Amino acid sequence: MLRRLVAGLAAIVLVVEAALLVLVHIVLGRTTANQSMSIAGSDPDVMSKATYVMGAGMGVFLVLCAVLAAVTAIRDRGPGRFGRVVLISGAVTHGVLGILSVALVGWAAFATMMLILCLLVLTLTSYAPRSGDGSGGGAGEDTPPLPPTPPFGELKPTSP
């Protein structure tokens, strides 16, 4: 029950974040175009369009992560390999953005990024494949277990 709630909450938060990021990029793109801003002589139109494209790309990526989290919550099954890769890359992205945001924006932005990171990681770990559940995710399911080893390794006498 809790893992479905976490995955659903992650999906909702990711959609809200996608909408906010797209809105911020639209404002930045319009500001760049209206003020004719350029960095090192670059074309302001190119910078404005690049800002729009970056906002759209981030929005699509975050909505994809949200859809995968929502599907995970609805099915109550872990995501497949592609879904795991996308959610892991989303978690890594939020970790990097959290590190950058603490220096550029402040601690509130850092806390928000870490909250989303925690939701993604909790979604991934709560739906992790377990050994013996028939999902094929356990390591070494077809190999026999190793013999037990003593806790401190093999004891050898030191004197003859």
Side-chain angles (χ1 to χ4, degrees), residues 31-53:
T31 303
T32 303
N34 291 338
Q35 298 294 323
S36 294
M37 294 179 184
S38 69
I39 297 175
S42 60
D43 187 16
D45 291 333
V46 172
M47 289 181 59
S48 176
K49 288 179 179 144
T51 303
Y52 293 142
V53 169

PDB file of all heavy atoms in Angstrom, residues 31-53:
ATOM      1  N   THR A  31      12.225  36.603 -22.065  1.00  0.00           N
ATOM      2  CA  THR A  31      13.074  37.675 -21.548  1.00  0.00           C
ATOM      3  C   THR A  31      14.322  37.826 -22.405  1.00  0.00           C
ATOM      4  O   THR A  31      14.725  38.954 -22.727  1.00  0.00           O
ATOM      5  CB  THR A  31      13.466  37.377 -20.085  1.00  0.00           C
ATOM      6  OG1 THR A  31      12.291  37.208 -19.317  1.00  0.00           O
ATOM      7  CG2 THR A  31      14.318  38.486 -19.514  1.00  0.00           C
ATOM      8  N   THR A  32      14.914  36.713 -22.785  1.00  0.00           N
ATOM      9  CA  THR A  32      16.106  36.761 -23.633  1.00  0.00           C
ATOM     10  C   THR A  32      15.782  37.391 -24.984  1.00  0.00           C
ATOM     11  O   THR A  32      16.550  38.203 -25.502  1.00  0.00           O
ATOM     12  CB  THR A  32      16.674  35.344 -23.838  1.00  0.00           C
ATOM     13  OG1 THR A  32      16.955  34.771 -22.569  1.00  0.00           O
ATOM     14  CG2 THR A  32      17.948  35.375 -24.645  1.00  0.00           C
ATOM     15  N   ALA A  33      14.643  37.032 -25.557  1.00  0.00           N
ATOM     16  CA  ALA A  33      14.263  37.586 -26.860  1.00  0.00           C
ATOM     17  C   ALA A  33      13.898  39.074 -26.755  1.00  0.00           C
ATOM     18  O   ALA A  33      14.288  39.875 -27.614  1.00  0.00           O
ATOM     19  CB  ALA A  33      13.086  36.809 -27.436  1.00  0.00           C
ATOM     20  N   ASN A  34      13.168  39.460 -25.719  1.00  0.00           N
ATOM     21  CA  ASN A  34      12.735  40.851 -25.579  1.00  0.00           C
ATOM     22  C   ASN A  34      13.875  41.800 -25.255  1.00  0.00           C
ATOM     23  O   ASN A  34      13.869  42.954 -25.682  1.00  0.00           O
ATOM     24  CB  ASN A  34      11.652  40.972 -24.507  1.00  0.00           C
ATOM     25  CG  ASN A  34      10.348  40.333 -24.942  1.00  0.00           C
ATOM     26  OD1 ASN A  34      10.093  40.152 -26.119  1.00  0.00           O
ATOM     27  ND2 ASN A  34       9.524  39.981 -23.968  1.00  0.00           N
ATOM     28  N   GLN A  35      14.831  41.346 -24.498  1.00  0.00           N
ATOM     29  CA  GLN A  35      15.938  42.208 -24.102  1.00  0.00           C
ATOM     30  C   GLN A  35      17.106  42.156 -25.078  1.00  0.00           C
ATOM     31  O   GLN A  35      18.088  42.854 -24.881  1.00  0.00           O
ATOM     32  CB  GLN A  35      16.437  41.813 -22.705  1.00  0.00           C
ATOM     33  CG  GLN A  35      15.417  41.970 -21.618  1.00  0.00           C
ATOM     34  CD  GLN A  35      15.040  43.420 -21.395  1.00  0.00           C
ATOM     35  OE1 GLN A  35      15.867  44.307 -21.479  1.00  0.00           O
ATOM     36  NE2 GLN A  35      13.766  43.661 -21.111  1.00  0.00           N
ATOM     37  N   SER A  36      17.020  41.282 -26.080  1.00  0.00           N
ATOM     38  CA  SER A  36      18.111  41.072 -27.042  1.00  0.00           C
ATOM     39  C   SER A  36      19.413  40.767 -26.325  1.00  0.00           C
ATOM     40  O   SER A  36      20.461  41.337 -26.623  1.00  0.00           O
ATOM     41  CB  SER A  36      18.280  42.294 -27.952  1.00  0.00           C
ATOM     42  OG  SER A  36      17.147  42.453 -28.767  1.00  0.00           O
ATOM     43  N   MET A  37      19.329  39.874 -25.354  1.00  0.00           N
ATOM     44  CA  MET A  37      20.510  39.489 -24.581  1.00  0.00           C
ATOM     45  C   MET A  37      21.372  38.543 -25.406  1.00  0.00           C
ATOM     46  O   MET A  37      20.867  37.708 -26.139  1.00  0.00           O
ATOM     47  CB  MET A  37      20.089  38.782 -23.300  1.00  0.00           C
ATOM     48  CG  MET A  37      19.359  39.633 -22.328  1.00  0.00           C
ATOM     49  SD  MET A  37      18.916  38.618 -20.913  1.00  0.00           S
ATOM     50  CE  MET A  37      17.982  39.766 -19.976  1.00  0.00           C
ATOM     51  N   SER A  38      22.661  38.671 -25.251  1.00  0.00           N
ATOM     52  CA  SER A  38      23.578  37.727 -25.882  1.00  0.00           C
ATOM     53  C   SER A  38      24.779  37.547 -24.964  1.00  0.00           C
ATOM     54  O   SER A  38      25.139  38.427 -24.191  1.00  0.00           O
ATOM     55  CB  SER A  38      24.026  38.221 -27.251  1.00  0.00           C
ATOM     56  OG  SER A  38      24.856  39.341 -27.116  1.00  0.00           O
ATOM     57  N   ILE A  39      25.367  36.393 -25.075  1.00  0.00           N
ATOM     58  CA  ILE A  39      26.569  36.088 -24.304  1.00  0.00           C
ATOM     59  C   ILE A  39      27.700  35.885 -25.297  1.00  0.00           C
ATOM     60  O   ILE A  39      27.609  35.016 -26.175  1.00  0.00           O
ATOM     61  CB  ILE A  39      26.374  34.827 -23.440  1.00  0.00           C
ATOM     62  CG1 ILE A  39      25.264  35.072 -22.423  1.00  0.00           C
ATOM     63  CG2 ILE A  39      27.668  34.439 -22.742  1.00  0.00           C
ATOM     64  CD1 ILE A  39      24.913  33.856 -21.594  1.00  0.00           C
ATOM     65  N   ALA A  40      28.731  36.673 -25.184  1.00  0.00           N
ATOM     66  CA  ALA A  40      29.914  36.598 -26.040  1.00  0.00           C
ATOM     67  C   ALA A  40      29.548  36.724 -27.510  1.00  0.00           C
ATOM     68  O   ALA A  40      30.087  36.026 -28.360  1.00  0.00           O
ATOM     69  CB  ALA A  40      30.680  35.311 -25.777  1.00  0.00           C
ATOM     70  N   GLY A  41      28.575  37.586 -27.825  1.00  0.00           N
ATOM     71  CA  GLY A  41      28.228  37.853 -29.205  1.00  0.00           C
ATOM     72  C   GLY A  41      27.344  36.818 -29.877  1.00  0.00           C
ATOM     73  O   GLY A  41      27.158  36.857 -31.084  1.00  0.00           O
ATOM     74  N   SER A  42      26.786  35.891 -29.115  1.00  0.00           N
ATOM     75  CA  SER A  42      25.903  34.887 -29.722  1.00  0.00           C
ATOM     76  C   SER A  42      24.564  35.520 -30.089  1.00  0.00           C
ATOM     77  O   SER A  42      24.164  36.544 -29.534  1.00  0.00           O
ATOM     78  CB  SER A  42      25.705  33.704 -28.781  1.00  0.00           C
ATOM     79  OG  SER A  42      25.133  34.138 -27.583  1.00  0.00           O
ATOM     80  N   ASP A  43      23.873  34.899 -31.019  1.00  0.00           N
ATOM     81  CA  ASP A  43      22.615  35.429 -31.530  1.00  0.00           C
ATOM     82  C   ASP A  43      21.515  35.305 -30.471  1.00  0.00           C
ATOM     83  O   ASP A  43      21.276  34.216 -29.953  1.00  0.00           O
ATOM     84  CB  ASP A  43      22.237  34.664 -32.797  1.00  0.00           C
ATOM     85  CG  ASP A  43      21.030  35.240 -33.499  1.00  0.00           C
ATOM     86  OD1 ASP A  43      20.667  36.394 -33.199  1.00  0.00           O
ATOM     87  OD2 ASP A  43      20.461  34.543 -34.355  1.00  0.00           O
ATOM     88  N   PRO A  44      20.814  36.387 -30.131  1.00  0.00           N
ATOM     89  CA  PRO A  44      19.738  36.317 -29.128  1.00  0.00           C
ATOM     90  C   PRO A  44      18.587  35.404 -29.547  1.00  0.00           C
ATOM     91  O   PRO A  44      17.982  34.747 -28.701  1.00  0.00           O
ATOM     92  CB  PRO A  44      19.261  37.761 -28.993  1.00  0.00           C
ATOM     93  CG  PRO A  44      20.362  38.599 -29.503  1.00  0.00           C
ATOM     94  CD  PRO A  44      21.078  37.777 -30.517  1.00  0.00           C
ATOM     95  N   ASP A  45      18.284  35.331 -30.844  1.00  0.00           N
ATOM     96  CA  ASP A  45      17.215  34.441 -31.294  1.00  0.00           C
ATOM     97  C   ASP A  45      17.580  32.978 -31.068  1.00  0.00           C
ATOM     98  O   ASP A  45      16.739  32.174 -30.676  1.00  0.00           O
ATOM     99  CB  ASP A  45      16.914  34.678 -32.777  1.00  0.00           C
ATOM    100  CG  ASP A  45      16.258  36.029 -33.022  1.00  0.00           C
ATOM    101  OD1 ASP A  45      15.598  36.534 -32.088  1.00  0.00           O
ATOM    102  OD2 ASP A  45      16.429  36.578 -34.128  1.00  0.00           O
ATOM    103  N   VAL A  46      18.829  32.644 -31.314  1.00  0.00           N
ATOM    104  CA  VAL A  46      19.283  31.269 -31.086  1.00  0.00           C
ATOM    105  C   VAL A  46      19.224  30.936 -29.597  1.00  0.00           C
ATOM    106  O   VAL A  46      18.788  29.842 -29.212  1.00  0.00           O
ATOM    107  CB  VAL A  46      20.706  31.068 -31.649  1.00  0.00           C
ATOM    108  CG1 VAL A  46      21.265  29.719 -31.253  1.00  0.00           C
ATOM    109  CG2 VAL A  46      20.716  31.228 -33.153  1.00  0.00           C
ATOM    110  N   MET A  47      19.640  31.875 -28.769  1.00  0.00           N
ATOM    111  CA  MET A  47      19.600  31.641 -27.326  1.00  0.00           C
ATOM    112  C   MET A  47      18.166  31.477 -26.840  1.00  0.00           C
ATOM    113  O   MET A  47      17.873  30.620 -25.994  1.00  0.00           O
ATOM    114  CB  MET A  47      20.289  32.781 -26.577  1.00  0.00           C
ATOM    115  CG  MET A  47      21.784  32.789 -26.746  1.00  0.00           C
ATOM    116  SD  MET A  47      22.572  34.108 -25.835  1.00  0.00           S
ATOM    117  CE  MET A  47      22.093  33.752 -24.185  1.00  0.00           C
ATOM    118  N   SER A  48      17.251  32.282 -27.358  1.00  0.00           N
ATOM    119  CA  SER A  48      15.857  32.196 -26.966  1.00  0.00           C
ATOM    120  C   SER A  48      15.251  30.858 -27.377  1.00  0.00           C
ATOM    121  O   SER A  48      14.581  30.190 -26.581  1.00  0.00           O
ATOM    122  CB  SER A  48      15.079  33.349 -27.590  1.00  0.00           C
ATOM    123  OG  SER A  48      13.716  33.245 -27.303  1.00  0.00           O
ATOM    124  N   LYS A  49      15.518  30.463 -28.615  1.00  0.00           N
ATOM    125  CA  LYS A  49      14.982  29.183 -29.096  1.00  0.00           C
ATOM    126  C   LYS A  49      15.602  27.997 -28.362  1.00  0.00           C
ATOM    127  O   LYS A  49      14.932  27.006 -28.081  1.00  0.00           O
ATOM    128  CB  LYS A  49      15.183  29.069 -30.597  1.00  0.00           C
ATOM    129  CG  LYS A  49      14.259  30.002 -31.351  1.00  0.00           C
ATOM    130  CD  LYS A  49      14.458  29.917 -32.831  1.00  0.00           C
ATOM    131  CE  LYS A  49      13.461  30.874 -33.480  1.00  0.00           C
ATOM    132  NZ  LYS A  49      13.946  31.530 -34.630  1.00  0.00           N
ATOM    133  N   ALA A  50      16.882  28.100 -28.045  1.00  0.00           N
ATOM    134  CA  ALA A  50      17.538  27.034 -27.290  1.00  0.00           C
ATOM    135  C   ALA A  50      16.933  26.901 -25.892  1.00  0.00           C
ATOM    136  O   ALA A  50      16.791  25.794 -25.369  1.00  0.00           O
ATOM    137  CB  ALA A  50      19.035  27.298 -27.195  1.00  0.00           C
ATOM    138  N   THR A  51      16.547  28.017 -25.304  1.00  0.00           N
ATOM    139  CA  THR A  51      15.900  27.984 -23.993  1.00  0.00           C
ATOM    140  C   THR A  51      14.545  27.298 -24.077  1.00  0.00           C
ATOM    141  O   THR A  51      14.188  26.485 -23.223  1.00  0.00           O
ATOM    142  CB  THR A  51      15.747  29.413 -23.442  1.00  0.00           C
ATOM    143  OG1 THR A  51      17.028  30.025 -23.396  1.00  0.00           O
ATOM    144  CG2 THR A  51      15.150  29.408 -22.059  1.00  0.00           C
ATOM    145  N   TYR A  52      13.786  27.605 -25.138  1.00  0.00           N
ATOM    146  CA  TYR A  52      12.488  26.931 -25.336  1.00  0.00           C
ATOM    147  C   TYR A  52      12.674  25.420 -25.531  1.00  0.00           C
ATOM    148  O   TYR A  52      11.941  24.613 -24.957  1.00  0.00           O
ATOM    149  CB  TYR A  52      11.760  27.505 -26.547  1.00  0.00           C
ATOM    150  CG  TYR A  52      11.295  28.928 -26.401  1.00  0.00           C
ATOM    151  CD1 TYR A  52      11.366  29.807 -27.469  1.00  0.00           C
ATOM    152  CD2 TYR A  52      10.772  29.401 -25.205  1.00  0.00           C
ATOM    153  CE1 TYR A  52      10.931  31.119 -27.353  1.00  0.00           C
ATOM    154  CE2 TYR A  52      10.346  30.706 -25.080  1.00  0.00           C
ATOM    155  CZ  TYR A  52      10.431  31.565 -26.158  1.00  0.00           C
ATOM    156  OH  TYR A  52      10.001  32.850 -26.026  1.00  0.00           O
ATOM    157  N   VAL A  53      13.655  25.051 -26.337  1.00  0.00           N
ATOM    158  CA  VAL A  53      13.893  23.625 -26.613  1.00  0.00           C
ATOM    159  C   VAL A  53      14.329  22.899 -25.340  1.00  0.00           C
ATOM    160  O   VAL A  53      13.884  21.783 -25.065  1.00  0.00           O
ATOM    161  CB  VAL A  53      14.934  23.467 -27.736  1.00  0.00           C
ATOM    162  CG1 VAL A  53      15.393  22.028 -27.869  1.00  0.00           C
ATOM    163  CG2 VAL A  53      14.363  23.966 -29.054  1.00  0.00           C
TER     164      VAL A  53
END
